[in-house]
């Protein structure tokens, strides 16, 4: 299964290159209400403990088509679980950081020790899925990680392993595995998504479920960098489109809503390929209940005690404020007994009481970035106490407003200037490269005419395409492997005929890497001592692979860069990208190294540079968008404040 991204009018595969990824662990601050507090507040029982989650998104693949949505989908799922669903412990892994070893450690060691019998566990995965056909017409499903090749099954997460992980946390009251990928071969029992009995007592019984975006040969679609399946799932869990009548959204109801949302999208866009979300049971036993989410705003609108049983051992459950509840207690809508909700400002937002000037919003501020809430309390992520947005704060903001707007204008101008300079420099470099390539072509023709027959054959069989001293076109390492034996014989003769011509000795060493690596290593050492530029890269990789000496490899690559070898530039960029070397100066960033190698004619470096430029441009675009959003927010607040500060 391949995931595809599509706009409303066309289908287009997106390939946004991400960074190394995210590996972060969130632990809910002490005193900040969790999901179990919400449950207890509205239903009067202490049946549930803590809520744990692992959230995984992989889109920056080495071999498989790259995907825009998974990493951002994972962050959106994390934010929902953390800020709205009240989860207590969330590990978020994206792209390179979502390694098999890291996931294995979490699900074999860490989480099984943390998750208790009354706890809840959720695993979310977004990325490519694949179905493998086995003997006897059987199938096995796989979730694909970043380094996996097309049939590198050992680099993927197979479903039997996932089912084993489900057993490792099977002691939990509820568990839910959400797989935003399409494949068949699940070791699970398919369950019908029916509307459940409207009783919280049934839902709170043990439940262990798994849902997928689709089946084999289907596509998990994304629109504008966001998976349609994940978006629909979160909307249904929140009740954005169709709030649950009683404020309790079970997985069965969520999946029915997900199916409707996807069908509506397909109808609106005219999309022909199907996408069939599925719901399964992780086991046939101990599954009388359902995983469910609470929609707090919906719950607040109903009588939170009517018709709901209360445990005899907990006659007076505590509320949001930590005080014992009683029949006379005010409903959850009261400011002192509720978690404040975020407020998105617009031009109609009222910040102050028009007659008294009393603040109507509370805020939290990181530097100059404000988050607004509709009542007092604590920030849902940091636990920081919220402050009233009073007239003093308003005047302070208005004073800073003009300075901030000017800073935003200057930053946007600088971003535009940098982009224009980069484009002009790249255009000039392309022109210089074209002239250089033509000169080298003529030089190679002259050199080839002078060379002996053995020398010409050595050049044809073993020349490095990126060696600036080569004569001829050169052959890739893969092609050289298939003709290495003949290359060794021919280049041996060429080196004897012209012992002073170092390129023949280099090409001999290059061919010997497939049959006599110790001799090749010795020849490369000799060539490095005689400062033959291309030899630094080969010797560097032999230090890394044969000697397991990354420090010496990096030293060789740096020397090659100084000698002007393009392969060394690309190799140093790769070592920095891997985290095995740190840039010694601004010219050693991955982007700068790829740019220099690209300007000198390295084709792979050209692709690397374009990818880095694309990431930079996306970051600049995101920054400009953020600046625009900040500007709009300042204008909105400034408009509202004009009357307040003139009192």
């Amino acid at each position: 299964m391949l995931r595809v991204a599509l706009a409303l009018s066309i289908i287009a595969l997106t390939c946004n290159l991400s960074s190394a990824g995210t590996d972060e662990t969130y632990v809910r601050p002490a005193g900040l209400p969790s999901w179990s507090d919400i449950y207890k507040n509205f239903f009067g029982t202490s049946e549930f403990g803590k809520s744990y989650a692992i959230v995984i998104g992989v889109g920056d693949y080495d071999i498989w088509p790259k995907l825009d949505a998974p990493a951002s989908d994972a962050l959106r799922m994390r934010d929902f679980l953390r800020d709205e669903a009240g989860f207590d412990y969330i590990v978020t892994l994206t792209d390179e950081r979502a390694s098999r070893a890291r996931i294995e450690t979490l699900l074999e060691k860490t989480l099984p020790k943390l998750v208790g019998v009354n706890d809840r566990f959720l695993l979310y995965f977004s990325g490519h899925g694949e179905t493998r056909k086995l003997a006897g017409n059987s199938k096995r499903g796989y979730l694909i990680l970043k380094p996996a090749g097309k049939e590198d099954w050992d680099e993927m997460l197979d479903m039997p392993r996932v089912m084993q992980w489900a057993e490792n946390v099977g002691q939990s009251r509820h568990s839910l595995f959400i797989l935003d990928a399409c494949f068949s071969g699940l070791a699970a029992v398919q369950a019908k998504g029916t509307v459940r009995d409207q009783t919280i007592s049934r839902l709170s019984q043990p439940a262990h479920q798994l849902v997928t975006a689709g089946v084999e040969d289907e596509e998990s679609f994304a629109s504008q960098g966001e998976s349609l399946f994940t978006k629909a799932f979160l909307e249904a869990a929140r009740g954005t489109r169709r709030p649950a009548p009683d404020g309790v959204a079970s997985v069965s109801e969520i999946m029915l809503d997900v199916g409707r949302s996807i069908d509506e999208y397909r109808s609106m866009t005219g999309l022909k390929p199907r996408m069939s979300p599925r719901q399964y049971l992780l086991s046939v036993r101990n599954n009388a209940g359902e995983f469910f989410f609470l929609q707090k705003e919906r719950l607040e609108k109903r009588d939170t005690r009517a018709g709901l049983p209360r445990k005899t051992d907990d006659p007076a459950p505590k509320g949001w404020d930590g005080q014992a509840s009683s029949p006379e207690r005010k409903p959850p809508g009261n400011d002192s007994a509720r978690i404040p909700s975020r407020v998105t400002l617009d031009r109609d937002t009222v910040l102050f009481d028009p007659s008294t000037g009393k603040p109507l919003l509370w805020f939290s501020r990181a530097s100059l970035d404000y988050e607004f809430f509709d009542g007092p309390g604590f920030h849902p992520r940091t636990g920081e106490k919220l402050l009233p947005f009073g007239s003093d704060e308003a005047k302070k903001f208005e004073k800073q407003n003009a300075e901030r707007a000017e800073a935003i204008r200057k930053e946007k101008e600088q971003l535009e200037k940098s982009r224009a300079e980069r484009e002009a420099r790249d255009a000039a470099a392309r022109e210089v490269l074209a002239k250089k390539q033509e000169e080298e072509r003529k030089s190679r023709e002259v050199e080839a005419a002078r060379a002996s027959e053995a020398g010409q054959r050595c050049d044809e069989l073993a020349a490095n395409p990126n060696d600036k001293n080569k004569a001829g076109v050169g052959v890739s390492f893969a092609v050289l492997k298939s003709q290495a034996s003949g290359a060794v014989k021919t280049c041996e003769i060429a080196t004897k005929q012209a012992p002073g011509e170092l390129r023949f000795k280099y090409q001999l060493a290059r061919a010997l890497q497939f049959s006599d690596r110790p001799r090749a290593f010795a020849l490369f050492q000799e060539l490095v001592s005689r400062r033959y530029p291309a030899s630094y890269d080969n010797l560097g990789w032999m230090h890394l692979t044969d000697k397991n000496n990354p420090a010496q490899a990096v030293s060789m690559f740096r020397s090659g860069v100084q000698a002007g070898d393009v392969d060394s530039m690309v190799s140093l960029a790769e070592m920095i990208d891997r985290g095995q070397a740190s840039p010694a100066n601004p010219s050693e960033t991955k982007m700068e190294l790829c740019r220099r190698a690209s300007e000198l004619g390295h084709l792979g470096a050209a692709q690397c540079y374009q990818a880095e430029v694309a990431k930079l441009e996306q970051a600049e675009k995101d920054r400009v968008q953020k600046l625009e959003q900040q500007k709009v927010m300042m204008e909105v607040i400034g408009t509202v404040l004009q009357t307040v500060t003139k009192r």
Side-chain angles (χ1 to χ4, degrees):
M1 187 286 302
L2 295 183
R3 298 194 47 187
V4 295
L6 47 97
L8 293 180
S9 57
I10 59 172
I11 301 177
L13 183 67
T14 58
C15 300
N16 180 39
L17 300 179
S18 67
S19 60
T22 298
D23 183 348
E24 66 174 32
T25 300
Y26 166 80
V27 179
R28 182 166 294 275
L32 197 64
S34 68
W35 186 90
S36 59
D37 296 319
I38 302 173
Y39 181 89
K40 183 177 179 180
N41 183 66
F42 287 107
F43 300 107
T45 62
S46 302
E47 296 178 89
F48 289 96
K50 292 187 176 182
S51 298
Y52 297 88
I54 297 177
V55 178
I56 303 169
V58 182
D60 183 23
Y61 287 94
D62 293 343
I63 305 299
W64 291 75
K66 297 182 187 292
L67 302 170
D68 254 346
S72 55
D73 282 339
L75 299 182
R76 278 186 281 268
M77 179 63 71
R78 174 205 64 189
D79 292 348
F80 167 73
L81 297 176
R82 180 190 65 199
D83 299 341
E84 301 177 57
F87 271 61
D88 302 282
Y89 183 98
I90 307 168
V91 179
T92 306
L93 306 172
T94 66
D95 295 328
E96 187 175 321
R97 301 298 178 86
S99 67
R100 185 183 180 93
R102 177 73 167 121
I103 297 169
E104 288 268 6
T105 299
L106 288 169
L107 287 163
E108 288 292 341
K109 298 180 181 179
T110 307
L111 270 302
K113 295 178 182 178
L114 292 176
V115 177
V117 294
N118 288 323
D119 293 336
R120 306 193 318 150
F121 175 79
L122 182 148
L123 182 141
Y124 170 86
F125 176 90
S126 178
H128 280 306
E130 178 69 324
T131 300
R132 180 185 184 184
K133 292 179 173 59
L134 304 174
N137 293 323
S138 63
K139 298 178 180 179
R140 181 177 297 165
Y142 289 83
L143 305 176
I144 304 173
L145 301 178
K146 174 180 169 61
K150 290 296 183 179
E151 293 187 354
D152 291 343
W153 308 114
D154 58 331
E155 294 286 350
M156 305 179 192
L157 304 179
D158 61 275
M159 289 313 301
R161 190 66 170 147
V162 174
M163 298 299 291
Q164 181 179 336
W165 292 336
E167 293 179 5
N168 291 349
V169 293
Q171 72 275 16
S172 60
R173 174 77 67 89
H174 284 177
S175 63
L176 175 63
F177 284 57
I178 305 172
L179 309 181
D180 191 351
C182 298
F183 54 89
S184 296
L186 283 167
V189 180
Q190 188 161 356
K192 294 182 178 180
T194 57
V195 178
R196 46 86 173 162
D197 178 14
Q198 303 287 331
T199 59
I200 196 69
S201 59
R202 191 188 77 76
L203 288 181
S204 60
Q205 293 183 54
H208 305 282
Q209 298 162 284
L210 180 148
V211 297
T212 69
V215 297
E216 181 184 6
D217 296 328
E218 292 187 343
E219 298 169 337
S220 179
F221 301 112
S223 176
Q224 299 178 349
E226 184 173 7
S227 161
L228 296 183
F229 173 81
T230 296
K231 180 180 180 182
F233 190 97
L234 291 177
E235 287 179 344
R238 290 187 176 107
T240 305
R241 291 158 50 90
R242 301 177 181 89
D246 57 359
V248 180
S250 70
V251 167
S252 292
E253 292 171 324
I254 289 172
M255 291 302 289
L256 287 174
D257 199 21
V258 167
R260 284 194 293 261
S261 298
I262 291 173
D263 288 343
E264 289 172 7
Y265 185 87
R266 291 178 66 247
S267 176
M268 178 178 66
T269 60
L271 187 65
K272 293 183 179 180
R274 290 194 58 80
M275 179 179 169
S276 309
R278 291 288 190 269
Q279 181 178 352
Y280 302 86
L281 300 178
L282 287 169
S283 67
V284 295
R285 297 178 300 169
N286 203 26
N287 243 325
E290 283 200 59
F291 202 102
F292 60 94
F293 296 89
L294 299 175
Q295 297 171 0
K296 184 170 69 70
E297 292 185 2
R298 191 72 178 177
L299 287 166
E300 288 175 348
K301 294 180 181 179
R302 65 168 217 170
D303 182 357
T304 60
R305 293 293 179 260
L308 294 175
R310 177 176 292 175
K311 293 222 181 250
T312 56
D313 60 348
D314 189 18
K318 294 182 180 180
W320 298 114
D321 51 6
Q323 303 300 315
S325 300
S326 67
E328 292 76 25
R329 180 187 168 200
K330 293 182 180 181
N334 180 40
D335 283 346
S336 65
R338 61 185 293 274
I339 293 178
S341 299
R342 280 191 177 86
V343 173
T344 301
L345 298 185
D346 56 38
R347 297 187 184 277
D348 296 326
T349 302
V350 179
L351 302 179
F352 307 98
D353 186 297
S355 59
T356 65
K358 180 181 178 181
L360 299 180
L361 294 182
W362 278 253
F363 75 96
S364 174
R365 186 180 66 197
S367 183
L368 295 177
D369 294 327
Y370 285 74
E371 287 184 89
F372 289 93
F373 298 83
D374 61 358
F378 298 88
H379 194 285
R381 185 173 68 256
T382 65
E384 178 186 0
K385 185 176 181 180
L386 303 178
L387 302 175
F389 193 75
S391 58
D392 289 342
E393 187 68 29
K395 292 174 181 177
K396 179 181 178 181
F397 179 87
E398 187 177 41
K399 181 179 179 181
Q400 296 172 340
N401 194 16
E403 296 176 0
R404 188 89 184 273
E406 178 63 15
I408 289 173
R409 183 189 66 78
K410 289 182 178 179
E411 185 167 357
K412 287 177 65 178
E413 285 183 354
Q414 183 59 43
L415 288 173
E416 291 297 328
K417 182 180 178 182
S418 297
R419 183 181 297 108
E421 290 176 348
R422 183 174 62 249
E423 290 174 352
R425 182 189 64 195
D426 290 349
R430 285 193 294 271
E431 183 178 351
V432 170
L433 176 60
K435 293 180 179 179
K436 180 178 179 62
Q437 289 175 334
E438 178 61 20
E439 292 173 355
E440 288 179 348
R441 184 188 64 80
K442 293 178 179 179
S443 175
R444 285 195 297 268
E445 291 177 352
V446 173
E447 181 65 25
R450 284 203 307 262
S452 66
E453 181 178 350
Q456 291 178 359
R457 190 63 178 151
C458 179
D459 289 332
E460 292 172 1
L461 293 175
N464 182 346
N466 297 316
D467 180 5
K468 63 182 182 180
N469 294 316
K470 71 180 183 299
V473 177
V475 295
S476 68
F477 208 60
V479 172
L480 175 59
K481 182 178 181 180
S482 66
Q483 56 197 36
S485 178
V488 168
K489 294 177 182 178
T490 303
C491 292
E492 290 271 27
I493 296 172
T495 55
K496 291 178 180 178
Q497 291 178 346
E501 183 53 69
L502 295 183
R503 85 168 185 278
F504 294 147
K505 185 168 290 189
Y506 169 74
Q507 288 162 189
L508 172 61
R510 191 167 180 251
L512 282 169
Q513 288 178 98
F514 300 100
S515 59
D516 190 346
R517 293 186 70 82
R519 187 183 174 200
F521 188 86
L523 285 173
F524 285 135
Q525 283 185 312
E526 178 188 344
L527 289 162
V528 163
S529 69
R530 300 177 70 174
R531 291 182 170 79
Y532 190 83
S535 62
Y536 290 97
D537 183 69
N538 296 82
L539 186 59
W541 282 108
M542 294 193 77
H543 273 296
L544 185 64
T545 58
D546 295 19
K547 308 295 184 182
N548 193 26
N549 191 341
Q552 187 61 27
V554 170
S555 177
M556 287 293 103
F557 296 148
R558 283 201 166 105
S559 297
V561 170
Q562 294 174 359
D565 176 53
V566 292
D567 281 337
S568 296
M569 296 174 191
V570 174
S571 296
L572 181 57
E574 183 175 343
M575 296 295 281
I576 290 171
D577 198 40
R578 289 182 181 185
Q580 293 181 287
S582 299
N585 51 64
S587 67
E588 277 196 358
T589 63
K590 181 180 179 181
M591 181 175 180
E592 183 62 19
L593 287 166
C594 289
R595 181 191 68 77
R596 290 172 60 192
S598 174
E599 290 179 357
L600 293 172
H602 194 292
L603 296 180
Q607 296 173 353
C608 165
Y609 177 60
Q610 292 304 318
E612 291 300 303
V613 168
K615 287 197 288 186
L616 178 62
E617 289 179 346
Q618 183 61 45
E620 291 174 346
K621 181 179 178 181
D622 293 343
R623 178 58 180 158
V624 169
Q625 184 178 8
K626 183 177 181 180
L627 293 173
E628 289 292 346
Q629 291 171 347
Q630 292 174 346
K631 182 178 179 182
V632 169
M633 188 191 78
M634 290 189 296
E635 290 174 350
V636 168
I637 300 178
T639 300
V640 178
L641 295 179
Q642 286 179 359
T643 57
V644 177
T645 55
K646 295 177 181 178
R647 286 179 180 274

